[in-house]
Every structure is written in C-alpha cells, then in structure tokens.
C-alpha cells in the first residue's frame, strides 16, 4: 500500500493580501499548497513536495502544513536561497491581481540535483498532482521533472494536472509553456484546466475545442472549469455539464480553482463518480470564495457545513 493517497508538487510562498479597504493580511499560499491543505481537510492522506528557505515564511509554511495534517517529509530546506513571496490585491468584486518576488526562490532548484531517496519518496503514492505554475517553477529543470512523471506512470502512479496558466510568468516563453503543458497532459490521467486560461494559452474558440484538443492526448478524465457556468467533464467520449449547485456571494476568488481541484480529487480518491466529485469540488470552492484569503479558517469550513 502506498504511503500517501496524493502528493502535491509545486511552490509554496509567503503571501501578503491587500483588501479593498487597504488593510493587509500576512499568510502563506501557492496553488498546490492550497490544494494540499484542502485535500487534507477533506480526509485525504496527502504530502506536499517542494523546497523552502531558512526564513520566517519557510517556517510558517512548514507550520501550516503540520497544523493541517499535511505531511512535510518531502519538503526540503534550502540553507542558501529564500522562500518566494507574492502579493494579492482584491477589488470590490472579489477579483484578484498578483505580483511575485520569486526569481531566487528555493523551490526553483528542487529538480537541479534531486536525491534518489527523495525521488523514490515521490513514487510512494497513488497520485501526483501538479500545475502549470509548478511547471514554471521548475522550468530550468523540466527534463528531470518529466523523468519523474514517466517513472510514476510506469509504477502505476496516476498524474493529475491543473493547467493553471499565468501569462505574466511565461511572457516571452509561450512556446515553452505550450510544449511543457502538452507533455504533462499526455502523462496525466486527470486534467483540470480552466477555460479562461486555455483561451489565453491556446486561443481555443469554445470549451468543446479545449476538451477535444486535450482528449487527443489520451487523457482519461478532463474537468474543464468554466467559472459561473460550473464545469464540463469529459470521460470515455461523453461530455457532462455540472452546474454550480447554489449561488455564491463572492468575497475573494483566491484559491477557487485550487479548492475545486481538492474537492474533486478527494472525492475521486474515495471512489466517487466524476459528477459527484465535481459537485464536491463546487461545494468546497463555494465555501472558500465566500471568505477572504487562500486558506480559510478550519472553523469557517465546519460552520459553513452547518
């Protein structure tokens, strides 16, 4: 039996959130870190894999994982480089705008010389989950990342990929982004793209075009997130639209996709059908975006469940 149900691979950063009234909130975040926390809160045995600096944000990231029952055995400490940092500015509608300070982040060297012990630890799981931001973080060492994912598939480990595309990160490297995204999707059994992102990267005219393009890569399950319309699932050739079950008053859209992915994958790992898993993703994302910040308090999740 695998040690973990899922390993979330990516970058964790310090977070400074600016509210519309000018107030600030200090925390930590990162798309796959957010998903790891919400997976753990959903009862899934999860680990987070990355590298952090020996600094206050790195210390806070490790503490956040431990507080949320996410294993940190695959989280490495870098004695030289620092933890990355980003800011979020929200407008009155809840939409967010990001700025990053991460060029010298410790996570960017994770695949420069990974130890065999660490690589073997990455295979002791049912599933590896990563995102387009993970690809950006590791883009100086993508061949080693692809080798790991190929080893994982050979050992029967599933790969799940969130096509989280941020144009500012890939400015001038759009062709590299398309090549890397396509290669990872071809290794994935589950792909969780967002239609808005796919339009920016691939110029897809319709959601159907996105689904068809990804399906050609041999992906078993595609869950296309479509904002207020819900999501469309494509599996075994059929497409099913799964609307958001109840209206949500949006406070902050940060981690909307990350929490949806966590809810969907948690249900899937428990053996639930894809439509039920998508509804679980919608419900979790709805709770998250009705609060401020990427990681909402545990008590808020419990209170919202009634």
């Amino acid at each position: 039996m695998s040690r973990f149900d899922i390993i979330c691979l990516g970058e964790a950063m310090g977070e400074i959130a600016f509210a519309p009234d000018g107030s600030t909130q200090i925390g930590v975040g990162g798309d796959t870190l957010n998903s790891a926390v919400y997976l753990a809160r959903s009862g899934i045995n999860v680990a987070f894999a990355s590298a952090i600096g020996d600094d206050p944000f790195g210390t806070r990231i490790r503490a956040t994982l431990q507080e949320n029952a996410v294993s940190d055995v695959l989280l490495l400490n870098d004695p030289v480089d620092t933890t990355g940092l980003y800011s979020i500015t929200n407008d009155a509608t809840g939409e967010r705008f990001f700025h990053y300070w991460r060029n010298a982040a410790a996570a960017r060297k994770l695949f420069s010389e990974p130890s065999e012990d660490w690589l073997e630890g990455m295979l002791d799981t049912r599933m590896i989950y990563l995102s387009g931001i993970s690809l950006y973080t590791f883009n100086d060492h993508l061949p080693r990342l692809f080798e790991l994912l190929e080893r994982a598939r050979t050992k029967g480990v599933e790969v799940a990929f969130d096509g989280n595309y941020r144009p500012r990160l890939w400015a001038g490297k759009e062709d590299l982004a398309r090549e890397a995204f396509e290669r990872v999707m071809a290794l994935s059994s589950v792909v969780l793209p967002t239609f808005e992102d796919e339009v920016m990267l691939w110029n897809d005219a319709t959601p159907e075009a996105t689904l068809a393009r990804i399906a050609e890569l041999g992906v078993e399950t595609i869950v296309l997130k479509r904002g207020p319309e819900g999501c469309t699932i494509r599996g075994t050739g059929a497409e099913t639209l799964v609307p958001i079950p109840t209206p949500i008053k949006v406070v902050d859209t940060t981690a909307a996709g990350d929490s949806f992915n966590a809810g969907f994958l948690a249900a899937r790992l428990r053996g639930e059908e894809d439509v039920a898993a998508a509804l679980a993703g919608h419900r979790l994302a709805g709770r998250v975006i009705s609060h401020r910040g990427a990681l909402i308090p545990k008590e808020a999740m419990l209170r919202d469940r009634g």
Side-chain angles (χ1 to χ4, degrees):
M1 181 179 292
S2 299
R3 180 167 45 159
F4 300 110
D5 294 321
I6 185 169
I7 295 172
C8 296
L9 172 64
E11 182 180 11
M13 295 174 284
E15 174 190 275
I16 304 175
F18 294 86
D21 64 4
S23 62
T24 59
Q25 179 177 305
I26 304 296
V28 298
D31 61 345
T32 56
L33 171 72
N34 300 335
S35 295
V37 168
Y38 289 122
L39 279 157
R41 291 183 184 180
S42 300
I44 299 301
N45 183 12
V46 56
F48 179 68
S50 189
I52 53 176
D54 184 16
D55 53 57
F57 283 118
T59 299
R60 190 160 182 170
I61 286 165
R62 195 176 293 277
T64 298
L65 295 176
Q66 293 171 354
E67 290 164 4
N68 286 279
V70 177
S71 174
D72 63 351
V73 298
L74 296 168
L75 179 62
L76 306 181
N77 267 94
D78 188 318
V80 177
D81 290 321
T82 57
T83 306
L85 176 67
Y86 71 100
S87 68
I88 304 175
T89 303
N90 286 104
D91 65 18
T93 69
E95 189 52 69
R96 74 268 196 229
F97 305 91
F98 294 88
H99 294 84
Y100 298 94
W101 295 266
R102 70 200 311 180
N103 288 340
R108 302 204 66 172
K109 297 195 304 184
L110 183 64
F111 281 92
S112 60
E113 295 182 3
S115 71
E116 187 60 30
D117 285 347
W118 186 85
L119 291 171
E120 282 296 318
M122 289 293 300
L123 302 177
D124 195 5
T125 183
R126 293 168 56 193
M127 178 180 284
I128 295 173
Y129 167 73
L130 72 164
S131 73
I133 294 179
S134 306
L135 294 183
Y136 166 78
T137 300
F138 308 132
N139 68 17
D140 290 334
H141 308 285
L142 286 177
R144 286 199 173 108
L145 170 62
F146 296 145
E147 287 174 12
L148 170 65
L149 299 180
E150 288 165 358
R151 283 176 64 179
R153 289 301 301 266
T154 299
K155 290 196 64 172
V157 176
E158 285 192 281
V159 176
F161 177 66
D162 172 20
N164 199 352
Y165 177 66
R166 294 288 178 266
R168 181 179 295 183
L169 299 181
W170 295 94
K173 298 181 179 180
E174 291 82 2
D175 288 343
L176 174 62
R178 283 186 279 269
E179 179 183 346
F181 278 49
E182 191 167 81
R183 184 161 180 183
V184 171
M185 287 190 286
L187 290 167
S188 300
S189 56
V190 183
V191 172
L192 300 132
T194 298
F195 180 59
E196 181 182 357
D197 293 354
E198 299 301 297
V199 171
M200 289 188 289
L201 182 58
W202 300 95
N203 294 316
D204 291 338
T206 64
E208 291 72 24
T210 295
L211 292 163
R213 173 177 51 78
I214 297 174
E216 288 180 358
L217 299 171
V219 180
E220 175 187 320
T221 302
I222 308 165
V223 185
L224 181 62
K225 290 164 286 187
R226 299 173 59 179
E229 297 179 57
C231 69
T232 299
I233 301 171
R234 175 164 176 158
T236 62
E239 294 181 10
T240 304
L241 177 65
V242 184
I244 296 171
T246 56
I248 303 296
K249 181 180 179 181
V250 177
V251 174
D252 182 355
T253 58
T254 304
D258 308 336
S259 54
F260 173 88
N261 295 346
F264 178 87
L265 292 173
R268 183 182 173 96
L269 287 164
R270 289 193 295 265
E272 297 183 33
E273 297 294 329
D274 287 341
V275 171
L279 288 170
H282 285 324
R283 288 192 294 269
L284 178 53
R287 289 195 293 274
V288 170
I289 66 175
S290 63
H291 296 79
R292 190 167 302 285
L295 298 176
I296 68 173
K298 293 179 186 178
E299 56 270 22
M301 294 182 66
L302 294 172
R303 183 172 61 249
D304 294 343
R305 288 175 183 170

